[in-house]
Amino acid sequence: MLAIELDTTVEDIKRRIEYLERMNIIRRVSLGVPGCGTCSGCEGSRCEGCMPQGGFRNMGEMWEIV
Amino acid sequence: MSTTIALLGQPNSGKSTLFNALTGLRQHVGNWPGKTVEKKEGTFTLGGVTYKVADLPGSYSMSANSDEEVVTRDFIASGQADVVCILADSSQLERSLFMLADYAGISAPCFLVLNMEDVAKEQGKKIDPDAIEKKLGIPVMMFSATDTKAYEKFYAVLERALKNKSQLNVSALENEYEKVEGYSKIKSQLDDGVISGYTPMWLTVKFMENDKVVSAKLKNALPDEKLKKIEETAGGQNGAIAMGECKFKWIDGILSGAVSSSSPGVQLGKLDRIFTHRIWGKPAVVLTVILGLIASFIPALPFMGIGSAIPMLKGPVTASLSGAGCPEIVISVLCDVVIQSLGYIVQMLGFVFGVTFVFGLLEEAGVMARISYVFDNTMGKLGLQGKSVMPFLVSFGCTMGGAGGARVIDNWGQKVLTIALAWAVPCGAAWSIVPMLAATFFGAWSVAVIVAILLTMLLHMWLTAKIFGRRLVKEEERCGMIMELPPYHKPKWGALLRYVLGRTKDTFFRVTKVVMLVCAIFWLLSYAPEGSNSILYNIGIAIEPVTKVFGLPWQLFLAFVASMVGKEGSVGVISALYTGGSYGAAFNAAMSGAGAAPDLTEILLANVARPEALAFIFAITFNLPCVVALAATYQEIHSAKWTAKIALYYTAVSLVLAFIAYRVGMLIW
C-alpha cells in the first residue's frame, strides 16, 4: 500500500522502516497483552479467557514514532 | 608475517559460513576487550601465506547503536585489517548494501562479496557484478558461501583486493551528502586525521546522525570554536533521516542497470483493494463487523434452545420436592434462583461462543489487522496509538484485560484515554446478555439493536476522545502508525476452537458465580411474607419516579445498578425480581397486569414494554463495565481522580443513552 503510494518497491519500504527503527526514530510496537489475572489458566501473557493461545498473532507489525 | 582479513556484514549475510569454510578447525573464540561481545578469529594458509581472519560481530551498520557496532568499527578504524571483506545478501541487495554505504569513508582497503547467489537466482534476479564493480571501484564477486567449489574465485578476488589496496569510490555518495544542508559546513571544520582511521566525510555523516560516540570523540579532538560551529549546524533527527536517504539513493544508483528481476511489481489483492480504499474502506470494514455479529447468532441458537428448556425443570423439581416434604423456601431458592439462573447462563454462553468464534476467525484470517489499519488514521487524530488496538480487541472479551493491555502504552495521557475508550467496548458479559435480551424483546429486529449498539459504541468512543482527549493528549503527540499487514491466513481450526471453548468455559464459571450470588441476594431482599412488602419493593417504589425518566422501571433500574458489580449480575436481579416465588403480591402490585407465567421470558414480555427494554439494554451496555475493571483501571493509571471521573462519566452517559433509547422506542412502538 505504502509502496504503491510512494511509487516504490516493498523492499525499499522495508529497508527504510528498518533504518528508522535502527536509528531509534521509530520503534516496533509490542502487541503483547498481559492477562487479566482472573481467568482460569491466566498467567503472564497467556489468558485463555481474554485471548487465543500465544496472543493475537495475526495483527501484523506496527511501528510508532519515538 | 600474516595478512589480516576482517569479515564485515549484517546478521544472516553468511559471514559465519564463510568464516568456518575458510578457517575450518583453526579457530579461536573469546571476547572483545572490555565487552561481552564474542570475538572469533581463525587462520588459513594459501600459497605459503598465512591469513588471519577476524569474524566481526554481525551488525546492521557502522553506527554506535550497539556494542557490536562499536567493536566492529573500532577494529576496522584501528588499521589492524589489511583488507575488509564486506558481505551482502544478493537476494536483498537494496537492504544489505546499507552496510557498504555506511562503511564508505573508512579508509581500509575492501572488496564486496555478493553472497547467497543461489537464493537470488531462485528469485529470478540477474546481477551484473562487473557493472557494480565499475561503479564502486573495488572488486565485486557473486558468491555462495555454502558452495565449496566457489572458493577459488574468492581467493582470486581477495588477492586482487590486497594487491591493488582497493578503495571504495565514494564520490557519488558524497555528491548526495553535499545536497544536505549543513553537511559541507560541518565537514569544513574537520581536518584529515582528526580522528585516526576515519575520513572527515564519515565523521560528518555520523555527527549528523547524532552518533554519540563520534560526537564525544570530536568534543575531545576539536577546539571549542570549531565544536561550537558544528554543534550549531547539526540537524538532530532530521539529519539522520537525510543521511539515510542519501545512502539509499546511492545504493539505488549502484543497482540501477546492474540488477534485473522477473518478480511482478507491487499489487494488492482484491480484498485489500476494497479494505484499503479511501472511500469504501471504512464502510467495508463496518459491514464486515456487522455481518460477523449477525453470523455469531448462528452458533448461539442451539445454546438458546437448551437454555430456554432448562426452566421447564422447575415443574417436576417443585412437584418431587414438595412430595418429599421439602420446605417451600428451599424449593423457591432452587427453582427461582438456581434453575432460573442456569437457564439464562446457558443462553448467554451461546452468544459468548458465537461472538468469540466469529471475532477469533476474523483475527486468525488476518481481517482484524485490516480493521485496525482502516481506523488507524482516525485513532491517531483522536490522540490514540496503534497500541490501543489490542486493549480494544481484548476488551471485547474482558475490559479488565483491556485495561491491563494498556500497560504497554508509555505516554500516561494516551494510556488513560485508551482505557477510557476501552470501557465503551461491550465486554464478553455484555455480549452474552444484550443479544439474549434483544432476541427476547425484538425477535428478528435484535440484529438492528446490535448494529445500533455497535454504532453507538463508535460514536461514544469518538465523543469520549473529544471530551477527555484535549486534556490527556497534546496535539503534537497525535500521529498515526506504520503498519505491515499480515497475509491472509487459512484459520487454524484446532487453535481457534480451543480458544473459543476455553473462553466459553471460563465465562461459564465466572458468570455462574456472579449471577447466582447476585440473584440470591436480590431474591432475599425481595422476599416477603404474604400480605407485606419487601425492603427492595419499598425502595423501588420510592425511586421509581426518577428511574422512569430514563425509561427504567425500578426492577430494571436495580438490575442496572447491579450491572456495575458485574454485567452478569443484572440477569440475576431480573431473575430474582421478576420470578421470585414469594414476591408475588408486591410484584403484582408493582406491575399491573402481570400474569402468572411459566418462564421469565414470558414474564418479561408481559411486564416490560419494548421502549423500556431498549432503554435497559443501552443502559447496561454502556454502564461502567464492572467493579473489577474499575480497580484494574486505577491500578494502571494510578489516579483516583481520573478513575472516578471516568466512572461517573460512564454512569451519566449510560443513563443519557437510556433516556434517548426510551424516547426513540416510544416513537417506534
Side-chain angles (χ1 to χ4, degrees):
Chain A
M1 181 79 180
L2 202 54
I4 292 169
E5 279 197 15
L6 299 176
D7 190 25
T8 184
T9 60
V10 174
E11 287 74 24
D12 182 38
I13 297 295
K14 281 187 174 173
R15 70 177 177 174
R16 281 165 198 271
I17 288 174
E18 186 181 27
Y19 175 70
L20 294 174
E21 193 180 352
R22 297 276 179 177
M23 297 306 287
N24 291 321
I25 295 168
I26 59 171
R27 67 173 159 232
R28 197 177 290 255
V29 170
S30 161
L31 295 177
V33 177
C36 67
T38 60
C39 300
S40 58
C42 179
E43 46 180 270
S45 61
R46 182 172 167 268
C47 180
E48 287 178 7
C50 296
M51 64 192 104
Q53 196 177 1
F56 295 102
R57 289 180 190 173
N58 298 309
M59 288 302 291
E61 295 284 348
M62 293 185 199
W63 291 266
E64 64 186 351
I65 295 170
V66 175
Chain B
M1 173 99 181
S2 66
T3 300
T4 301
I5 311 165
L7 302 183
L8 176 69
Q10 293 181 335
N12 303 318
S13 59
K15 230 161 25 70
S16 296
T17 312
L18 175 63
F19 176 75
N20 290 334
L22 289 174
T23 59
L25 295 172
R26 295 174 298 277
Q27 294 183 5
H28 170 73
V29 180
N31 268 13
W32 290 92
K35 306 276 182 191
T36 52
V37 180
E38 191 181 66
K39 182 183 186 182
K40 282 168 82 178
E41 286 179 322
T43 56
F44 72 95
T45 308
L46 183 72
V49 179
T50 301
Y51 290 86
K52 201 168 150 187
V53 186
D55 184 10
L56 297 175
S59 58
Y60 170 75
S61 66
M62 305 286 281
S63 295
N65 294 325
S66 66
D67 277 353
E68 282 80 1
E69 287 174 333
V70 174
V71 161
T72 299
R73 73 186 193 188
D74 282 354
F75 179 82
I76 293 169
S78 69
Q80 292 178 61
D82 295 294
V83 69
V84 179
C85 168
I86 304 172
L87 282 105
D89 179 353
S90 304
S91 65
Q92 41 177 339
L93 283 178
E94 297 92 342
R95 175 183 169 270
S96 63
L97 281 182
F98 189 82
M99 176 59 94
L100 181 76
D102 221 30
Y103 178 88
I106 293 180
S107 43
C110 61
F111 65 103
L112 178 65
V113 173
L114 304 179
N115 196 17
M116 301 186 198
E117 181 185 14
D118 47 339
V119 182
K121 271 185 186 164
E122 277 172 25
Q123 291 175 350
K125 284 182 179 162
K126 285 182 185 165
I127 301 167
D128 181 355
D130 294 336
I132 298 174
E133 183 168 324
K134 213 172 167 185
K135 291 178 186 177
L136 294 177
I138 54 169
V140 177
M141 66 175 291
M142 294 301 296
F143 188 60
S144 185
T146 50
D147 180 8
T148 49
K149 291 173 191 163
Y151 279 77
E152 286 305 320
K153 199 167 77 174
F154 175 83
Y155 296 136
V157 172
L158 167 67
E159 280 180 9
R160 188 152 61 96
L162 280 167
K163 189 181 163 194
N164 298 337
K165 295 196 178 303
S166 51
Q167 296 274 333
L168 187 63
N169 178 3
V170 296
S171 56
L173 181 58
E174 182 141 39
N175 286 342
E176 293 295 335
Y177 289 150
E178 280 167 357
K179 291 175 195 166
V180 178
E181 196 184 340
Y183 171 82
S184 300
K185 205 172 170 186
I186 294 175
K187 196 188 160 202
S188 67
Q189 301 299 317
L190 308 177
D191 301 324
D192 283 339
V194 62
I195 297 175
S196 176
Y198 302 107
T199 61
M201 180 188 105
W202 192 88
L203 291 170
T204 306
V205 171
K206 288 295 149 197
F207 187 78
M208 289 190 79
E209 287 175 359
N210 281 325
D211 186 303
K212 288 190 171 58
V213 177
V214 165
S215 298
K217 282 185 176 176
L218 285 176
K219 214 170 187 175
N220 290 330
L222 289 176
D224 289 347
E225 192 188 331
K226 282 191 172 186
L227 188 69
K228 201 178 168 190
K229 274 187 184 170
I230 67 167
E231 279 175 345
E232 280 169 3
T233 320
Q237 207 174 61
N238 290 337
I241 294 172
M243 293 295 111
E245 281 298 313
C246 292
K247 288 172 197 169
F248 291 134
K249 265 190 189 172
W250 181 69
I251 292 169
D252 291 343
I254 290 165
L255 297 180
S256 172
V259 178
S260 61
S261 174
S262 58
S263 62
V266 189
Q267 276 187 332
L268 284 177
K270 278 181 190 170
L271 263 179
D272 276 343
R273 277 207 291 274
I274 300 169
F275 281 135
T276 57
H277 195 275
R278 284 186 198 284
I279 299 164
W280 299 112
K282 280 194 176 84
V285 161
V286 171
L287 187 70
T288 306
V289 174
I290 289 170
L291 289 175
L293 284 172
I294 294 169
S296 68
F297 275 69
I298 298 166
L301 287 174
F303 286 87
M304 287 200 74
I306 297 167
S308 54
I310 287 176
M312 289 177 192
L313 293 172
K314 281 158 84 174
V317 169
T318 305
S320 59
L321 288 178
S322 298
C326 191
E328 193 196 336
I329 191 163
V330 175
I331 299 170
S332 186
V333 167
L334 262 176
C335 293
D336 298 333
V337 176
V338 179
I339 295 177
Q340 188 64 46
S341 301
L342 205 62
Y344 259 102
I345 291 163
V346 172
Q347 288 185 56
M348 283 158 60
L349 285 179
F351 291 105
V352 171
F353 184 88
V355 169
T356 311
F357 180 79
V358 169
F359 279 91
L361 190 65
L362 290 177
E363 196 272 332
E364 272 274 326
V367 175
M368 206 55 99
R370 270 82 186 164
I371 295 174
S372 307
Y373 168 79
V374 170
F375 284 105
D376 176 60
N377 194 30
T378 314
M379 281 174 45
K381 282 179 188 164
L382 292 177
L384 295 171
Q385 287 190 329
K387 287 179 187 176
S388 307
V389 174
M390 274 297 129
F392 293 161
L393 205 55
V394 175
S395 291
F396 272 107
C398 174
T399 314
M400 195 168 40
R407 200 173 301 162
V408 293
I409 300 171
D410 316 309
N411 181 298
W412 183 83
Q414 286 177 331
K415 186 192 287 186
V416 177
L417 189 59
T418 300
I419 295 177
L421 297 194
W423 276 32
V425 178
C427 67
W431 284 121
S432 61
I433 298 164
V434 170
M436 183 189 69
L437 289 174
T440 301
F441 283 97
F442 308 107
W445 284 99
S446 57
V447 173
V449 174
I450 301 298
V451 171
I453 281 175
L454 202 68
L455 295 175
T456 308
M457 176 194 87
L458 293 174
L459 186 68
H460 192 339
M461 290 172 90
W462 179 79
L463 201 69
T464 306
K466 287 280 169 195
I467 293 169
F468 291 138
R470 279 182 216 151
R471 287 185 186 180
L472 291 169
V473 188
K474 292 174 195 161
E475 274 302 322
E476 60 267 25
E477 290 171 347
R478 299 176 179 209
C479 58
M481 304 284 294
I482 302 167
M483 284 184 72
E484 184 182 346
L485 296 177
Y488 289 104
H489 293 277
K490 276 186 182 170
K492 289 173 189 155
W493 295 107
L496 179 63
L497 280 174
R498 273 196 299 279
Y499 163 52
V500 175
L501 290 172
R503 176 137 161 224
T504 309
K505 185 188 89 180
D506 194 79
T507 307
F508 173 75
F509 288 118
R510 197 165 47 181
V511 160
T512 303
K513 274 186 274 183
V514 178
V515 170
M516 294 278 185
L517 185 70
V518 175
C519 184
I521 291 168
F522 274 78
W523 180 86
L524 275 174
L525 288 172
S526 65
Y527 188 80
E530 287 290 334
S532 63
N533 293 330
S534 69
I535 305 166
L536 215 54
Y537 171 76
N538 289 332
I539 296 170
I541 289 297
I543 62 170
E544 194 163 46
V546 179
T547 66
K548 275 282 189 184
V549 174
F550 306 108
L552 301 174
W554 69 268
Q555 294 90 337
L556 291 185
F557 185 80
L558 289 176
F560 164 76
V561 173
S563 74
M564 293 180 189
V565 179
K567 292 219 177 356
E568 309 89 340
S570 61
V571 173
V573 176
I574 294 172
S575 188
L577 294 188
Y578 282 124
T579 59
S582 303
Y583 177 65
F587 176 80
N588 286 331
M591 297 285 170
S592 54
D599 69 40
L600 181 58
T601 303
E602 286 181 32
I603 290 178
L604 281 175
L605 285 172
N607 296 291
V608 179
R610 279 177 161 188
E612 292 171 342
L614 194 64
F616 178 66
I617 285 172
F618 273 83
I620 60 160
T621 304
F622 295 105
N623 193 7
L624 64 93
C626 64
V627 280
V628 193
L630 189 78
T633 300
Y634 174 69
Q635 200 181 341
E636 291 304 326
I637 66 177
H638 306 292
S639 166
K641 185 183 136 192
W642 272 99
T643 308
K645 211 182 254 189
I646 297 168
L648 286 172
Y649 168 79
Y650 268 84
T651 309
V653 169
S654 62
L655 287 171
V656 170
L657 286 172
F659 175 84
I660 296 168
Y662 180 66
R663 260 65 198 170
V664 171
M666 292 286 277
L667 290 174
I668 301 172
W669 298 289

